[in-house]
Amino acid sequence: MRTRTLTAVATAVALASAAGPLTVPAVASSSVAAQPAAGSTAGPDADALAAAIAGLPDSDATAALVRVGGTDGSWRGSSGVHDLASGRAADPDALFRAGSTTKVVTAALVLQLAAEGRADLGRPVRDYLPELIPETYGQVTVRQLLNHTSGIPAADLPGDTFEEWYAHRFDLHTPRKMLASATAKEREFEPGTRQHYLNINYTVLGLLVERLTGHSYEREAARRILVPLGMRHTYFPGADPRIAGPHNHGYQSVARADGTTELRDVTVWGASESWAAGDMISTTADLERLLKGLFRGQVVPRRQLEEMFTVPAGVPGATMSAGLQRYVTDDGTVLWLKTGGRWGYNTFLGGTRDLSRTLVYSVNATDAKGQGMNPVAERVVRAAFGW
């Protein structure tokens, strides 16, 4: 893949390589478990994909779960360890923190409500949530929340560094308080003039879903999307900081005072601040079901589905649509994708609109909230799309 293409995808994925030298505990690297599609005669490069996730754990990741699919063949693979202490092989069907891929579900819920005539995407969200949205944000429309052009700033959260976040990892946050802290500030820009990807937009959309349906966000997501698509292993943890089910541990690279680096277990961590923007727990198989069902028009009616494949016009540098992101490769291939990052876990779902090639992965990155692209994830993307 040429540099420009990789840079664009790296910006979308926002995965980090481990900073500085890292000493990995002495555990045996698990062998790559791979399964090509039965009877497939064309498709993903199995050797390249196996090589992409071989050798884990290393300084960049402790495990990787990968599913490549599409009309031209499929491949499944896993590598790494369940946890560093035992060194046993990673569970290929493990649950993991899916992070901001939650936004795909939230966007789909809002678009379903638009299809039912219960939400008008061009209408100010304050019309639906008058007591929660102050007049200063009275112009912000539902569509502008979906595509991150609202101008609402981020909510206040404790800390800026990993150690500060770690100290507050069990804090509970409510969406209403987060929205109040965000809208108490001046807006970042005139709505519709810029695009700034922030969780607060989807926090508001979660509240909108609850207002329009009279039910909890979690109930509507399960009833409307998870159950119909057979996503039996996907759920929303709420106040529970644990992952309920088989899962591989997540770790964060942390610098010690003596200059060495430790891998701190960050598996148990509350996600209430993310809520409808990023607290979902899922599996690669379930996320693949979501991706394929969505692109096939089985989740959102075709008319409203176009919102997910439409980047706002007239907004400089815009790449985000309703719940997805658009990237065009050097050869003109258009990818629609969504990524997610929680401490210890990075997630990707995406592919071509015609589903000729899809990719879902969970990489247990050792700096999952960093700014660069994780080397393991980079190799997976290269191999999956043949770059």
Side-chain angles (χ1 to χ4, degrees), residues 50 71 77 148 161 184 207 213 290 300 315 358:
T71 54
H148 299 280
T161 69
L207 290 167
T213 64
L290 173 63
V300 175
V315 178
T358 64

Side-chain angles (χ1 to χ4, degrees), residues 48-241:
L49 285 161
I53 60 174
L56 302 184
D58 64 13
S59 61
D60 301 312
T62 58
L65 314 177
V66 180
R67 297 177 73 91
V68 180
T71 54
D72 59 358
S74 59
W75 184 89
R76 311 284 181 264
S78 64
S79 185
V81 294
H82 168 271
D83 65 279
L84 293 175
S86 72
R88 61 188 173 93
D91 181 348
D93 300 314
L95 284 81
F96 51 83
R97 300 193 185 282
S100 285
T101 60
T102 308
K103 293 182 177 70
V104 178
V105 172
T106 304
L109 287 173
V110 174
L111 294 175
Q112 285 185 358
L113 292 170
E116 295 165 9
R118 301 166 75 176
D120 182 340
L121 302 185
R123 187 174 175 181
V125 70
R126 190 170 189 268
D127 289 355
Y128 301 106
L129 302 169
E131 80 284 12
L132 299 180
I133 306 294
E135 290 186 9
T136 51
Y137 290 95
Q139 294 177 283
V140 174
T141 67
V142 176
R143 180 176 284 110
Q144 289 166 347
L145 293 168
L146 283 167
N147 62 30
H148 299 280
T149 60
S150 71
I152 300 177
D156 291 327
L157 290 170
D160 297 311
T161 69
F162 168 76
E163 291 293 0
E164 290 171 329
W165 274 95
Y166 187 77
H168 291 276
R169 66 192 183 281
F170 299 133
D171 289 2
L172 295 179
H173 307 271
T174 67
R176 288 183 174 229
K177 286 185 177 180
M178 292 178 63
L179 176 56
S181 75
T183 55
K185 307 173 191 177
E186 293 184 4
R187 65 190 185 191
E188 290 191 331
F189 49 83
E190 183 77 18
T193 62
R194 288 174 49 196
Q195 189 171 71
H196 186 191
Y197 177 85
L198 288 174
N199 281 351
I200 192 63
N201 294 299
Y202 278 67
T203 298
V204 181
L205 291 173
L207 290 167
L208 176 64
V209 169
E210 294 193 332
R211 177 60 54 84
L212 294 179
T213 64
H215 301 135
S216 72
Y217 167 84
E218 294 81 2
R219 174 177 170 175
E220 288 300 300
R223 182 178 72 86
R224 291 171 171 268
I225 297 177
L226 307 189
V227 172
L229 289 180
M231 297 172 65
R232 297 184 297 110
H233 302 292
T234 300
Y235 76 100
F236 304 90
D240 191 346

Side-chain angles (χ1 to χ4, degrees), residues 311-354:
V311 172
V315 178
T319 63
M320 290 165 282
S321 61
L324 296 174
Q325 295 170 278
R326 181 188 69 187
Y327 285 92
V328 183
T329 68
D330 287 344
D331 65 2
T333 301
V334 178
L335 301 180
W336 295 94
L337 59 94
K338 190 68 194 79
T339 61
R342 296 290 306 177
W343 298 107
Y345 301 89
N346 278 138
T347 306
F348 177 107
L349 67 82
T352 56
R353 186 172 179 179
D354 65 0

